[in-house]
Amino acid sequence: MNGRLTKIQRREKILADLRLTPLVRISELADRFGVSTETVRRDVDALSSQGLVDRAYGGASALPMGVQPTFGERDRTFVKERDRIAEKAVSLVSPGEVLMIDAGSTTAQFARHLAAVGEDLTVLTNSHSVASTLGGGRSIRVIVCPGDYVHREAGIYGSETVEFLRRYHANKAFIGAGGLGAEGIMDVNSPACWVKRVMIAQSDQCFVLVDHSKFDRRLLEIAAPLSGLTGIVTDRPPAVHLAQALSRAGVATHETDG
């Protein structure tokens, strides 16, 4: 390693390593990156503060499969990437459509862009952030799901939520995911998985908004197989094996510009 990696690139490589091994050592990373252990330690501390890794003695460990950062923590990471994903996703929306949008940090970004350009839309959502963002638009009707509000996720979940969504149909669903792999889209929160499943089932098309940090990240529960998706909107091309799995499932990949 020639030491020319930027801070962002180093941190992305740390996350990539942790998808393959449960623990990475600061000293080993410093040697590979050609930087000081203090520099790598700051990288690990920053990733830990964002809820992306666990701090371990002498290194960093992968988050357990059953743990996910809060909505607020996720909303502070990969901001530029998610903003570009949101802007790209809006280009897939046509005037007059009915949309389903689930709760998540990237779908919240999507709503901010949609509020500025959406025309004559009807949106069903279980997201407090999405509803409040789109609610002020003159040409967007917002239908909010009933159920139990979960502050950690800034969303509404439960049996009432799922049954309510089953009463409607949509042209397109836009959902997030904690992880994306050949098995499908994954999440930690089981109630969130049920919302995703129903939104996929009730929509003619479904697009998953996911930044590259979610690629090949395995989490507790598979929300849906790749075959249930129309496309993914992402900031970076998936690795070859994941790209092939998406292609076999007939899932289109929409990449952002830049």
Side-chain angles (χ1 to χ4, degrees):
M1 193 67 64
N2 58 18
R4 295 178 182 174
L5 294 177
T6 66
K7 176 174 65 177
I8 292 174
Q9 289 171 331
R10 286 196 311 272
R11 295 175 184 179
E12 288 179 347
K13 284 191 173 293
I14 292 171
L15 292 174
D17 283 356
L18 286 172
R19 296 191 193 103
L20 303 175
T21 181
L23 178 70
V24 293
R25 297 288 181 187
I26 286 176
S27 57
E28 294 172 359
L29 291 171
D31 287 341
R32 281 178 51 206
F33 297 160
V35 297
S36 68
T37 55
E38 288 77 13
T39 296
V40 177
R41 189 171 288 109
R42 286 194 293 270
D43 290 335
V44 170
D45 287 343
L47 292 170
S48 177
S49 68
Q50 294 169 354
L52 297 175
V53 304
D54 274 346
R55 194 75 166 80
Y57 181 75
S61 61
L63 289 175
M65 286 187 184
V67 173
Q68 179 164 274
T70 66
F71 172 85
E73 290 168 335
R74 300 196 305 272
D75 203 37
R76 294 191 295 270
T77 62
F78 296 100
V79 175
K80 292 180 180 178
E81 291 86 349
R82 291 187 296 103
D83 189 65
R84 292 198 299 269
I85 290 168
E87 185 175 14
K88 182 72 173 182
V90 166
S91 70
L92 301 174
V93 178
S94 299
E97 288 189 322
V98 177
L99 310 178
M100 289 187 178
I101 306 174
D102 80 338
S105 56
T106 309
T107 53
Q109 290 274 51
F110 171 63
R112 292 172 197 137
H113 283 271
L114 191 62
V117 299
E119 296 180 27
D120 301 322
L121 301 175
T122 299
V123 174
L124 292 100
T125 186
N126 70 319
S127 166
H128 178 270
S129 179
V130 169
S132 61
T133 298
L134 296 179
R138 280 187 268 178
S139 62
I140 301 178
R141 178 191 179 196
V142 180
I143 302 173
V144 183
C145 298
D148 298 325
Y149 178 72
V150 179
H151 176 71
R152 176 185 174 85
E153 295 296 321
I156 302 165
Y157 301 97
S159 58
E160 286 183 274
T161 312
V162 169
E163 290 306 315
F164 182 79
L165 285 168
R166 287 194 174 118
R167 292 164 45 190
Y168 294 89
H169 294 104
N171 297 105
K172 293 166 185 168
F174 291 88
I175 64 177
L180 174 72
E183 297 170 288
I185 58 172
M186 287 160 272
D187 211 290
V188 168
N189 184 348
S190 189
C193 287
W194 277 109
V195 168
K196 296 178 196 299
R197 290 178 190 126
V198 175
M199 286 188 171
I200 291 171
Q202 299 303 109
S203 301
D204 294 337
Q205 296 180 296
C206 177
F207 297 91
V208 177
L209 314 185
V210 59
D211 68 75
H212 67 274
S213 72
K214 310 297 178 57
F215 293 161
D216 291 316
R217 186 179 177 202
R218 301 184 73 201
L219 294 174
L220 173 67
E221 189 168 347
I222 299 172
L226 295 181
S227 58
L229 311 178
T230 304
I232 67 167
V233 187
T234 185
D235 62 308
R236 188 175 298 181
V240 174
H241 69 280
L242 180 53
Q244 290 174 339
L246 290 164
S247 178
R248 286 194 298 269
V251 181
T253 299
H254 304 269
E255 295 169 24
T256 62
D257 299 324

